[in-house]
Amino acid sequence: TVQIAAAGVAVDEELWRIGGVEYQVTAATLLAAGEAELTPGATVAVNSYTGPGGIQIATSIRPSAANRYLYLPAVGR
């Protein structure tokens, strides 16, 4: 998970700096808000791939559920 430093509402093709990494966000990037909003300072998870020239192309950006849920392994005897 990373911190989002800048966000736009309408996405054409722009660079977002998330957790110190620049991601190219396009109209094809899935911006999944769900329960939380994608606002500056929100904790998010980013899926991306390395595109031409070494730039990270974001395929999806979604709020991280890490702050809301705690998953513990099941223990049996």
Side-chain angles (χ1 to χ4, degrees):
T1 61
V2 293
Q3 292 291 319
I4 192 167
V9 176
V11 175
D12 185 16
E13 191 163 310
E14 56 188 24
L15 290 179
W16 287 14
R17 182 174 294 278
I18 302 173
V21 178
E22 285 193 341
Y23 294 92
Q24 183 172 357
V25 177
T26 68
T29 303
L30 174 64
L31 301 174
E35 295 178 12
E37 301 248 347
L38 291 175
T39 58
T43 301
V44 298
V46 179
N47 286 338
S48 67
Y49 65 92
T50 304
I55 189 143
Q56 292 296 308
I57 311 293
T59 57
S60 71
I61 301 173
R62 63 190 181 287
S64 174
N67 294 339
R68 295 188 300 267
Y69 303 104
L70 175 64
Y71 294 99
L72 298 174
V75 177
R77 290 186 172 206

